Every structure is written in structure tokens, then in C-alpha cells.
Amino acid sequence: MHAKLNQDKTDWSPFPYLQEADVISVQRGPEAGGAAGGWRALRETMRGMKTTFARLVEGPVTLQYPEEKTAVYPRFRGRHKLHRFTDTGLEKCVGCSLCAAACPADCIRVVARENDPDDRVSAGERYAEVYEINLARCIFCGYCEIACPFDAITMGHDYEMADYNRADLIFTKEMLLAEPIERAPLKREGE
Amino acid sequence: MVEPIRELVTITVDGREITAPEGQMLHDAAKSGDVEIPVFCYEPKLGEPVGACRMCLVEIEGIPKLQTSCSTPIRDGMVVHTKTDQVKEAQNAVVEFLLVNHPLDCPVCDKGGECPLQDISMGWGPGKSRFTDVKRHFQKPIELSPLIALDRERCILCYRCVRFSQEVAEDEQLQLLERGDRTFVGTFDDRPYDDPYHGNVIELCPVGALTTYTYRFRARPWDIEDAGSVCTLCSSQCNVKFSIRDEEVLRVLARDNEDVDDGWLCDKGRFGFQSFGSEDRITQPMLRGGDGELSPISWDDALSRVTKALKSSGEKTAVLAGGGTSNEEGWLLGRVLREGLAGNAIDSGAHPADAGAVRGLSNPALTARMRDIDHAGAVLVLGADPRNEMPICDLRIRKGVRRNGVRLAVATDSPTALDRRAHAVGRYLPGAAAGFISQLAGEIRSEGSSSGPDAEAVAALATELRGAEDVVVVWGEELWSEPRAISALMDLATVLGIEGTETSGLIEIPTEANGRGLREVGCLPGASAGLAEAPAGPGVSEFCEKLRDGSLETILLADSDPVRTHPDGEGWKQALGNAFVIAISSFETPSASLANLVIPAENFSEKEGTITHPEGRLQRVRRNVPPPDGLLPTWNFLAAVATELGVDCGFSDQPGLFTAMTSSNGLYQGITEEDLAGQGVRWQDREGAAGRVPAGGATPQMAAPTSAPGSAGAPDSIRLGTRRDLWAAEVAERSPALEFLVPMQSLEISIPDAERLGLKQGQAVEVSAGDGASVEAKVAIREAMIPGAAFLICGARDGNGNLLTGAVPGSRTIRIEVATPVGQTENT
Ligand code: SF4
Ligand code: SF4
Ligand code: SF4
Ligand code: SF4
Ligand code: FES
């Protein structure tokens, strides 16, 4: 290291710590305490207060949750939804388990089954007999949505999922398919 | 004929020097040097490569065009490139072409996630297709058989399944039909594919064209865990791999072990897992109450009742082990009886084996390895139908005959599946094996010495065997029912010079899956663990009599079902009805339904222990799923019983038990659990094996070829024999997928006899023998039958042939009465 630093030096010495280039001088402010210190504290406090008072005139921004709810962005990743085809009413999910494979939290469980041609559940050969997401474990990464080859699962906007019981956080296929109560308002353009 | 040894040569693949035996296929040689070449159709298990898919193209210096590495044998100094632009282009093109007609419905395809086509398309494909036309369409899955669904759209025409059917199982049913892009896999006339090995094509198919109904859509590879064990449903003891999801076995796959199963499974082993979760399974100890019904009791209660029963009968106790009873369990059973009760009535198997003869036959120089069959000069199948008794052995013999020019001689009482491939076939009457074998030995010794009706057949067999370089004799346990047959067999072995060579020998097909192991751990009268000398005792056929006359009072059946599987089923019924019966069993089998106490048994996905293959290979059965609630491991229960009876066990866990078992056994001494890892170990292959077998005991007497084997009793009488059927088994009846295969009883009879008696094919008859017992059967007239004998399936659910046999098989003649008048017969 030192050899490099001293390359342009003509009087190269075998004792690099004596070289001038190694001397670092540190700039320090005035010592704390005393009048200078007091002044500095006051100045910083005033600077903070300026911000505070400036916000004051903007009025309160507190949301009266749960009466009022935070609006979310359209791409917000909230609780999942499973979808049906609008025309046939069949489930889009074919139980392929790709979402389960993609899920980094390992919280999706799919057990597939063969469709009965006379009583179809999904459009393909197979359907998900069991489809469960353990929302207590989900990290809302949205990988499942990306993995799904049929857009059968999407992330909704609902973020109100607290419950008293962990077991209640396991959402079954019926719960995920049900038309969710849209509680979370969307942010408006430009908001 | 020993497996040829090939010279090592050096080739260069992608700049790496690889040394491999000359003539090895380039793909395999590259693989041994860690160079991966994608393949679809190549599968060494199937024999010669066909080069159907062109996925494996590589560039070889000096050859202008690309070559298929799966079918190019290597030569010294070959320089190969697998990653050049030319090769890449070819690979891309092959994948693109394959996908032209492929539906790419991976999300609904059962193969998704473990599909070579997916993997190769990702790894070696162009990434996108230029194909915009309409793809070829077929009706989505059709039933190839009741167990296999065929989706012809997905088939890439690799020929693997067809080659399996044509060249491995040799059932010749699968074909590629039509031509060009309309080609599809199918059977003649759309008949269901019917073959006891056909499940293997599911594993062979590199795409999702062939899938099984039992696993369809149950799980993805990332949902399951793989777990290895050994199938204990028959003596082939195939190595298996379970796919387990949520602690439930969903599928059974082959776990390649070239020494044992060659990578194949039979359908019983592949689909029999369904019986594990059967609703009828007994999962708690059961006591038969006064009303004759079984009701559950606690394990403590069961233990005290079993101990009490055993104590009270003391040395008048018999133990009969069978099925998948492990070596450890068998050893504990022996100790319970011999040390705890001072008894000596212990046996395994269905036919009475003699301790002295077993010792003689256990001579390592006399035992063949399974792989010796591959390159034997000749194979003699004696008194067994491998297809029905040890299915994988049948495949092994076929492989030897087809690929390595093994000469095959078959000498049995009833026709076998191998007859068609045999170079010589001999038939003897049931119960006349001894005479036939000694005649054969005599004929080999001096040509032209045999006489009588069989002379021609014997001469033909002798011609195949005489002078053959290495002979492997595959013989059935049934021969033990004729004591003289065993000494004749020993004589035959001497004539064939088996003891002198490494690669020849005998292999016995036991009736019970762990037949060999059970004998070697002491479930044999007159021999304790390691075949050591022990006080003589009655054998299995005497149990029956002694239980009836009261000189034995209690019998402990370990996974054994004598009423069903042993000769003289009727006699066993009475015997068990007369005695106090403790049955260790998974189901209420015909024998367990006569038991006073039933102790639930584990199956081979739940059991921890070892079993011994007929070639002497110790293999490990592993616990992969927990047994149903609270089911105590059988060894645990037996150890508790032993302790109660004052036997010092000195181990508290399974590994301890294993060590205790092996260290007390002269044959197994020194084998550790590590030695068994993966492939198992033959005790004969360990050091000092020759000295491990205790010396003799009684030497069986030589049989003189006296009675001409062709002579039946009275002229025109028909002797009754039994034959085994793969599907006449408890496991088939308890597995929903296999139930359709459970056979109806049929009476196999020769053409002349059928003509004489005026019997028609498929006619319903009533067969009776001995003291009036009778079974109903359909007539099956077969060409390869010996006149003067007729065969019933033993162990059949309806009309078990064993009910008629009497204690000595082949000793009875039958009466046949027509149940439906001629004219109303159906053709089967
Ligand atoms: S959002 Fe992420 S963590 Fe949640 S279920 Fe989907 S893949 Fe799993
Ligand atoms: S939600 Fe989509 S990815 Fe998940 S199982 Fe269903 S179809 Fe497959
Ligand atoms: S069905 Fe499967 S194994 Fe048979 S030819 Fe087609 S792709 Fe190959
Ligand atoms: S051949 Fe025997 S051991 Fe092998 S899978 Fe079939 S039943 Fe099991
Ligand atoms: S693997 Fe070589 S042609 Fe198919």
C-alpha cells in the first residue's frame, strides 16, 4: 500500500510511517460546552421547530382507522384472490402447484384431483381439490401470482387480515374464491 | 460363459480425457467423465440402443456428420465435441421438432416437474418455436390398461415403452401404430395392455404420455419426499423408492440395484402400496370374544395375554414365520420359543425344509448370484414358475436368453411363462420331481441312460446342460415337499460341476418373501441362528397334524397365512380351529380369522429391519412413514414378550437389535448397518464365508432313479397339482387398483385329458379330491400340460386349490364334475 502511495516521491524511504503522505489531519468543530455549544443547540432546535410549524398549517393527516382506511396503490399486494372464468364459471386454477413451487415461504398447499367430465370444476384435466394459503406465513411477495400460468391467482388489495387465531389465517379455496369485500380504497391518479 | 472383460481406452470429450471400457456407448463414457449429453430414447436397461430420437447428437473428429452418442461405441483416441455450434444447432432443431406436435400442457400434466422433456427443452432447446400451425390432436387420456392412462398427444415416439414390452417383458403388446405424424402408441385392437410388469413403462416414459391412475395428480415432485426401502411382497425383494406426501405413500418407484432387481418392479410391488391405507387394516391388537368377533384391546393387555398363553402351553407352542417377517423378528421368535419356552416347533415357509440339507445348500460355492444368470452358459428352471413366484427373476432370465445367448431349460410340473423362450422343456407329474431330477442327473452323466416316457424330454434338457460352461439352477421351494428331490438336486449340482466355479450355482425361490433370511436366523427345525445345531423339532407339515391331535396347543403365526398359502388348507383350518392362535397380521386373512389374538403388523414402508434375498444378500427395510396410531413395531412387541418370558434381550433399540442379531449369527457376524447401505451385502461375499456354514447334520440320501416319473396311480386318474398365481395374494385383494387382477379359480388340464373327459374351455366344473372337499373352477385347456395332471391355483380367494391338496402335494387324484351343461359354456 505505502509503496503505491509514495510512487511519485523521489526521496523514497524504507520507513513509510514517517512519510508526510501518511499524516491525516482531522478537522474538528469547536469543543462542546461553553457558549458555542449552547448556540449550536439552539440553532438546531429552531431548525427542527421550523419543520414542525410548517407542517402545522397543512392540517392533520391522521387517518381515523378503522373508520377511515389507507388507500393503496393499484399494484399493492394484499390478500390473494382465486378467480373463475366469467363465462363458464369454472375455476381458472388447475391445481398445477406451480404457485406452491414458487412460494419462498412455502405457505401454499395444493392437492389436485382429476376432473369428472360430467361435473367439471376447472377447465383442464385436473383441478385443485385442496387449495390453502397460510397467510400467517405469507410474505406477500407475489411470486405465486407471477408463477401461475392461468392467472388463476392474483394479489388483491385487502390488507385487513388480523385474526385471533393462527389457524384462522389458513385461507381455503372457498375463502379465496369468494368475492372479497373490497375494504381497501384505491389511491386516485396522482395521489 | 463369464461376462467378457473389456479393455480400457481413452477418449477426449470436450477437452477432457476419459478412460472407459472399449465398446461402451459414447454417452455412458461421457457421463462417467461428467459430460452430460441429453437423451430421450437411450436407456441401457432396455438393451441395445435404437437411436430413435436424435437428441444425443455429437461431433466426432474425423466423421463429417454428427453422430448419435447413445449408439456409437467408443474407440481409442476418439475426440468428441458436445458443445460446438453445429451440435447446438442440431440440438435446438431436435427439440423444436419434438415440440411441434407436443401440446405443452405442463400445468395439467402429471410429469410436470420431473419431466426430461421439460428439462431438455430448457437446457438444450432454442427457447422459442417458429411453429404456428395447428398441432396434432388425439383424444385426451385413454385407458391403456386399468392402471395406466395414455395421452398420445404428449408422446415423443421414443420407443422406450415399446421396447420394454417387446424386449424386456416380452409380452409384445405395445406397438407404434400408424405412420408419420399420426403415429401413436397402442395395442392391437385397443385391447388393454395386460402384463404383470407393465407399470415400468410409466417410469420409462420421458414425457407425460404414460401415467398411472393411482398417482395421477396426487402430487408434484416438490410436494413429496423420496424414501428408500425394500419390497417384501415376494422373494424378489426389489429395491423401491416411496414418494411420500403428508406421511402417506403415494407411489412406489424402482430404486435401481443391478444385483437385485435390475431397476424393474412388478405391478404387485408398484401398486400394492394401496393396501397400506386400506380400511380393513388391523391397527390395534384384537381379541376374539365369545361371540367370535374381534374387538380391540390395549397393547398391555395384548402383551399379558400373549405371554400367558405362551407360558401355559410352554414347549407345546409352535411358531410359524413367513411373509415379510424381518430377520430380527425371526430371530426374536426363535429365542422366544427356544429360550423362553424350551420348545422346538419352529419353521418358516410352506414346505418342510431339512436343516442338514439347508446347511449343505448354503455352501457359498453352491449359491449363485442373481447376476450370474445374465451371463450363464445355461439356466435350469426347476419346479418353479419365476413369473408367478419371483417375477423379477423371470425378467432376468429373459434378459440373459435374449441378450447374452443363455441356454434355457425348464423342468416343471405345470407350464411356466418361460416355456416359450426355453430351448428345452420337460414336464413331470405333480409329486414326481425327485425321479425326474435324478433321471436328468443320470442322463447328463451318461448320455442315453434315461428310459421311460420322459426319456426324450430328459435327453433334450440334458443336451442343453451337459457341457454348458456355467449353469445356474433356479429351483422352487416346492421341491422340499419331496425329500428325495433335494438329494437329487444336490446330485444334479455335482454332475453339473457347480461347486467348482464362481459364476454358477443354485438359487432357491422361497414361497415367503424373506424365506431365506428366516431360515438363517433360526426359523427352521433343528437349526438356530446361523444354521447352528439345535434340538430337532417338527416341521411345518407336522404342525398341522400335531395341532389337531393336541400335541401342540398354541401357534404363533408371524405374517404367515397357512390356511391360504400352505398345502392342505383344509387341514390347517381344522388345526387352527383346534389350537390357541396368535396371529401377527395386517389383515383378517383366512388364518387370522381363526386367531384368538391378532397383533397388528407393520408393512415395508413402516418396518425397520433387515431381510435376506434368495442369493444371500442382506437388505435393509426402512421405516419411512409412521405406522397408524400407536402401532407398536413388531420387534418391540416380540422383545417385550421375550423379556416377560425371562429371555435376556440386552438391547433397547433397533440398531442394538440388529447388532445382537448379527453377532449371534455365524453367517451374518460382523455385518454392520453401514455395510447394508443402499445395495445391501451378500454374506457369502464377505471374508471367510466358506467356513461360516456349520457342518452338515444329516446328509440327505441319494435318490436312485427308481419309479418311472410318468407313472400315475390308476390309469386315467388325474393327479392334482397346484400352481401359484402372482395375483392370488392378500395384497392384491386389499389394493383397490389391483383387485381386478385377482384370479378366478381355473383348472388347467391337458388337451388329451380334456377330450377324454369331454371338458370344454371355460366350462364351470366342480373339482373334488380326498375326503369330499371341493372347489369350483373354470376349465382352462392348455397345450403345454402333461397328461394325467390338472392344476388349481393355490391361495385363490374363491376356491383355494390348497383346500384339496392334502399334506403331500401331488399325492391326490381328483374327480371332476361338470357344473354347467355343455353348450352353455362361455369362452374365456
Ligand atoms: S405472496 Fe409470496 S409468500 Fe405469499 S403465498 Fe404468494 S408466493 Fe407465497
Ligand atoms: S393458482 Fe395457478 S399456479 Fe397455483 S395451482 Fe392454481 S393454476 Fe397452478
Ligand atoms: S409413450 Fe412415452 S415411452 Fe412410449 S414412445 Fe411415447 S414418449 Fe416414448
Ligand atoms: S417382484 Fe416381488 S419384490 Fe419385486 S416389486 Fe414385485 S412383489 Fe415386490
Ligand atoms: S438418445 Fe440417442 S438417438 Fe435417442
Side-chain angles (χ1 to χ4, degrees), chain B residues 643-808:
Chain B
T643 315
E644 291 285 312
L645 294 174
V647 180
D648 175 26
C649 283
F651 54 82
S652 55
D653 54 6
Q654 218 285 328
L657 169 60
F658 174 79
T659 317
M661 187 274 291
T662 47
S663 56
S664 69
N665 188 320
L667 307 179
Y668 300 165
Q669 225 157 40
I671 295 179
T672 61
E673 291 202 334
E674 286 75 58
D675 293 338
L676 301 186
Q679 315 271 290
V681 64
R682 277 181 91 225
W683 64 259
Q684 293 98 329
D685 289 346
R686 294 168 53 80
E687 236 163 83
R692 287 172 185 263
V693 186
T699 339
Q701 289 159 3
M702 288 302 167
T706 46
S707 71
S711 63
D716 289 359
S717 68
I718 292 183
R719 270 205 222 183
L720 173 68
T722 53
R723 62 195 172 88
R724 284 166 71 188
D725 186 291
L726 186 61
W727 305 113
E730 196 75 30
V731 60
E733 288 151 25
R734 307 286 182 181
S735 307
L738 294 178
E739 228 201 323
F740 77 100
L741 288 163
V742 172
M744 304 274 286
Q745 185 56 275
S746 71
L747 180 76
E748 288 196 343
I749 195 162
S750 67
I751 299 175
D753 285 334
E755 274 172 3
R756 187 164 52 80
L757 298 168
L759 298 176
K760 296 260 170 356
Q761 184 82 340
Q763 197 169 28
V765 290
E766 192 159 316
V767 185
S768 54
D771 39 13
S774 72
V775 302
E776 284 174 17
K778 290 250 163 90
V779 174
I781 302 173
R782 291 191 64 173
E783 212 174 330
M785 293 273 304
I786 183 166
F791 293 85
L792 288 171
I793 300 172
C794 64
R797 175 168 54 183
D798 308 310
N800 184 352
N802 278 337
L803 297 179
L804 305 188
T805 51
V808 183

Side-chain angles (χ1 to χ4, degrees), chain B residues 252-586:
Chain B
V252 179
L253 299 176
R255 179 162 60 87
D256 284 19
N257 186 344
E258 240 181 280
D259 291 316
V260 175
D261 51 39
D262 239 354
W264 309 121
L265 287 186
C266 80
D267 290 349
K268 188 153 85 174
R270 189 179 294 275
F271 301 109
F273 74 90
Q274 287 200 327
S275 66
F276 297 174
S278 163
E279 276 181 13
D280 302 332
R281 185 158 168 209
I282 298 172
T283 56
Q284 274 173 295
M286 297 280 207
L287 174 70
R288 195 170 302 280
D291 55 354
E293 290 296 312
L294 286 179
S295 51
I297 53 173
S298 74
W299 280 95
D300 286 334
D301 195 9
L303 177 62
S304 68
R305 279 173 195 274
V306 167
T307 332
K308 213 176 97 206
L310 292 181
K311 265 187 190 149
S312 78
S313 67
E315 57 174 27
K316 287 183 168 181
T317 308
V319 172
L320 184 57
T325 304
S326 70
N327 292 341
E328 287 81 354
E329 289 158 7
W331 178 67
L332 282 170
L333 285 167
R335 293 193 64 187
V336 164
L337 186 78
R338 293 208 169 99
E339 291 172 40
L341 303 167
N344 46 29
I346 182 165
D347 208 344
S348 55
H351 304 281
D354 167 70
V358 169
R359 284 186 201 111
L361 288 163
S362 296
N363 176 359
L366 276 182
T367 320
R369 294 173 186 80
M370 283 307 281
R371 51 156 87 233
D372 290 342
I373 293 175
D374 291 354
H375 291 276
V379 170
L380 170 65
V381 174
L382 205 56
D385 180 3
R387 164 153 309 198
N388 285 306
E389 303 178 25
M390 191 176 173
I392 297 306
C393 185
D394 175 280
L395 289 187
R396 175 89 63 170
I397 295 172
R398 281 166 197 277
K399 173 178 153 192
V401 172
R402 173 175 285 270
R403 297 189 206 162
N404 305 323
V406 172
R407 303 296 293 182
L408 175 60
V410 176
T412 54
D413 51 3
S414 66
T416 74
L418 284 169
D419 285 0
R420 220 159 55 89
R421 301 294 297 168
H423 300 98
V425 179
R427 284 282 113 81
Y428 51 79
L429 284 174
F436 192 92
I437 300 170
S438 40
Q439 217 180 6
L440 178 59
E443 176 73 24
I444 296 174
R445 203 172 266 132
S446 60
E447 202 171 339
S449 71
S450 60
S451 58
D454 294 324
E456 207 179 313
V458 168
L461 291 169
T463 317
E464 293 303 335
L465 301 172
R466 193 183 302 123
E469 213 172 302
D470 284 309
V471 181
V472 176
V473 181
V474 176
W475 61 285
E477 190 193 287
E478 207 185 35
L479 293 188
W480 286 106
S481 62
E482 291 175 58
R484 291 193 314 125
I486 300 300
S487 46
L489 180 69
M490 301 270 241
D491 184 34
L492 182 67
T494 317
V495 178
L496 293 171
I498 281 176
E499 206 171 332
T501 57
E502 258 285 288
T503 42
S504 58
L506 312 174
I507 296 180
E508 179 188 356
I509 302 185
T511 49
E512 310 284 356
N514 189 24
R516 175 162 196 146
L518 288 174
R519 278 186 205 153
E520 289 178 348
V521 296
C523 295
L524 181 66
S528 62
L531 299 178
E533 199 76 48
V540 55
S541 47
E542 289 151 272
F543 286 2
C544 196
E545 221 170 282
K546 289 190 185 292
L547 287 166
R548 271 182 293 179
D549 69 21
S551 45
L552 286 174
E553 289 170 358
T554 300
I555 182 163
L556 177 60
L557 300 171
D559 208 1
S560 179
D561 185 3
V563 173
R564 177 178 199 141
T565 57
H566 288 32
D568 196 17
E570 199 61 49
W572 274 103
K573 253 191 206 171
Q574 292 166 14
L576 297 188
N578 204 26
F580 189 85
V581 182
I582 305 162
I584 303 178
S585 174
S586 285

Side-chain angles (χ1 to χ4, degrees), chain A residues 162-175:
Chain A
D163 221 314
Y164 294 104
N165 202 328
R166 275 168 210 273
D168 292 344
L169 287 169
I170 298 176
F171 274 56
T172 62
K173 188 172 88 168
E174 287 63 41
M175 294 157 85

Side-chain angles (χ1 to χ4, degrees), chain B residues 39-42 51-54 56 68 70:
Chain B
V39 294
F40 284 119
C41 70
Y42 183 49
C53 72
R54 322 307 286 178
C56 62
T68 49
C70 72

Side-chain angles (χ1 to χ4, degrees), chain B residues 630-646:
Chain B
L631 196 156
L632 211 62
T634 306
W635 72 263
N636 221 320
F637 185 74
L638 291 176
V641 172
T643 315
E644 291 285 312
L645 294 174

